[in-house]
């Protein structure tokens, strides 16, 4: 409760309560009981104004249906949908309560099939779902290949490097935000910082963390440089020229406007350095 209410981890933006891989089969019932207790707390006790968005990751569509039928399920903001692909998308759509946001996770073998991802994009565009972000499930995708990320390697030094670029080019131009895979080596902030730089270069907008010590590193990486912020504001200025020079680079509002808008949005939430 201290985490969910915003008391324990200041600055936490969102939180996923996992009832999938993080819970062994014999503890699922206990996990559901704990979630019910938490929902009652959310309905009766005050949260801090800065409390994180709250998501639940159900084990499968049957559990999502069960949770959606709970009277207090609207106390959470949404659900993370594991193993999301064309084989399961319609079942997830039926299972999840309509008022909840969703974060589908791309982490099955089908994620490697570009035509399947295009088909999935069309399905999501046609649905009435509020998709906050598409999550890239790095460990599960590596597991599909019988691999585990080496301890000193970023995710981009594995076969997933090219896949991430492919997913961004498939979904991002159509209005979907994508978030970066977990860096499970939470005792190695240097590796995390290196990977975050590559995440941003690839156009990803956030990163799932698995340990509180990773939060400030991620938030620091998401801060906008003063140079980029000034460039973005100059691009968005009403009287901006069609083409102009800034710090030795060409700026062109017609082509750089989308970038500038994203920079200003990041600065709004994470600040400028």
């Amino acid at each position: 409760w201290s985490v969910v209410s915003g008391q324990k981890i200041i600055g936490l933006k969102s939180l996923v309560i996992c009832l999938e891989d993080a819970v062994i089969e014999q503890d699922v019932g206990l996990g559901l009981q704990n979630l019910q207790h938490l929902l009652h707390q959310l309905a009766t006790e005050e949260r801090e104004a800065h409390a994180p968005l709250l998501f639940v990751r159900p084990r499968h569509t049957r559990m999502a249906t069960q949770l959606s039928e709970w009277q207090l399920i609207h106390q959470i903001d949404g659900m993370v949908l594991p193993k999301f692909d064309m084989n399961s998308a319609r079942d997830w759509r039926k299972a999840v309560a309509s008022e909840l946001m969703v974060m589908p996770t791309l982490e099955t073998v089908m994620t490697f099939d570009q035509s399947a991802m295009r088909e999935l994009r069309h399905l999501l565009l046609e649905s009435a779902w509020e998709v906050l972000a598409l999550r890239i499930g790095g460990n599960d995708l590596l597991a599909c290949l019988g691999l585990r990320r080496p301890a000193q390697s970023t995710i981009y030094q594995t076969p997933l490097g090219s896949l991430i670029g492919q997913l961004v080019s498939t979904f991002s131009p159509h209005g979907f935000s994508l978030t970066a895979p977990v860096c499970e080596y939470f005792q190695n902030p240097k590796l995390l910082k290196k990977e975050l730089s590559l995440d941003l270069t690839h156009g990803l907008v956030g990163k799932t963390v698995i340990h509180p010590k990773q939060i400030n590193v991620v938030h620091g990486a998401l801060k906008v440089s003063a140079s980029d912020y000034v460039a973005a504001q100059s691009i968005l200025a009403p009287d901006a020229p069609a083409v102009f020079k800034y710090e030795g680079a060409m700026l062109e509002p017609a082509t750089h406007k989308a970038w500038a808008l994203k920079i200003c949005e990041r600065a709004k939430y994470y600040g400028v350095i």
Side-chain angles (χ1 to χ4, degrees):
W1 172 252
S2 64
V3 177
V4 170
S5 63
Q7 299 171 36
K8 185 174 182 178
I9 306 177
I10 306 301
L12 182 63
K13 302 293 186 184
S14 61
L15 173 69
V16 181
I17 297 173
C18 182
L19 292 169
E20 195 215 9
D21 292 345
V23 180
I24 58 175
E25 190 67 39
Q26 59 263 38
D27 286 343
V28 171
L30 177 60
L32 290 169
Q33 290 177 23
N34 287 339
L35 178 58
Q36 284 185 316
H37 177 67
L38 178 64
L39 294 178
H40 282 285
Q41 280 188 285
L42 288 166
T44 57
E45 299 183 33
E46 289 293 323
R47 300 174 76 200
E48 300 291 335
H50 58 260
L53 291 175
L54 183 60
F55 289 79
V56 170
R57 178 161 63 179
R59 212 169 182 84
H60 37 59
T61 56
R62 297 188 306 280
M63 182 182 284
T65 299
Q66 177 186 358
L67 297 179
S68 294
E69 292 172 351
W70 288 2
Q71 186 176 0
L72 294 177
I73 197 61
H74 63 277
Q75 295 294 329
I76 67 170
D77 296 290
M79 289 188 186
V80 168
L81 314 182
K83 314 298 187 288
F84 189 87
D85 58 24
M86 285 302 298
N87 291 332
S88 63
R90 289 180 174 83
D91 290 334
W92 280 115
R93 187 68 192 93
K94 295 175 184 177
V96 178
S98 59
E99 68 269 21
L100 297 177
M101 290 187 288
V102 293
M103 290 198 288
T105 307
L106 307 175
E107 55 184 350
T108 69
V109 171
M110 198 173 286
T111 309
F112 294 94
D113 184 339
Q114 193 168 6
S115 63
M117 290 299 97
R118 288 196 295 266
E119 189 177 354
L120 186 65
R121 180 189 70 205
H122 292 312
L123 186 148
L124 289 172
L125 287 170
E126 292 171 359
S127 76
W129 255 343
E130 186 178 355
V131 179
L132 181 62
L134 298 172
R135 302 174 70 250
I136 301 173
N139 284 330
D140 281 87
L141 289 169
L142 285 174
C144 293
L145 305 174
L147 298 174
R148 182 192 177 201
R149 175 225 292 260
Q152 300 302 322
S153 299
T154 71
I155 201 73
Y156 297 94
Q157 293 169 288
T158 74
L160 299 193
S162 58
L163 176 64
I164 290 171
Q166 178 180 303
L167 291 172
V168 171
S169 63
T170 299
F171 289 99
S172 186
H174 299 270
F176 294 101
S177 298
L178 292 94
T179 64
V182 163
C183 182
E184 65 265 39
Y185 298 103
F186 54 84
Q187 297 283 17
N188 189 345
K190 184 177 179 180
L191 178 67
L192 177 59
K193 288 178 181 178
K194 183 178 179 181
E195 187 163 294
L196 281 160
S197 176
L198 294 167
D199 291 339
L200 292 172
T201 300
H202 282 75
L204 304 178
V205 301
K207 194 170 189 70
T208 303
V209 302
I210 55 169
H211 194 285
K213 67 171 56 178
Q214 294 181 313
I215 295 171
N216 287 338
V217 180
V218 172
H219 288 179
L222 288 168
K223 289 181 183 293
V224 172
S225 71
S227 175
D228 278 354
Y229 188 61
V230 172
Q233 288 187 311
S234 300
I235 289 166
L236 297 174
D239 57 349
V243 181
F244 60 98
K245 180 181 75 173
Y246 175 74
E247 292 192 340
M250 180 189 76
L251 296 182
E252 193 174 12
T255 55
H256 294 141
K257 181 179 179 180
W259 171 84
L261 289 170
K262 289 183 178 181
I263 288 295
C264 290
E265 187 76 359
R266 264 176 53 200
K268 175 182 175 182
Y269 289 101
Y270 298 103
V272 178
I273 54 172

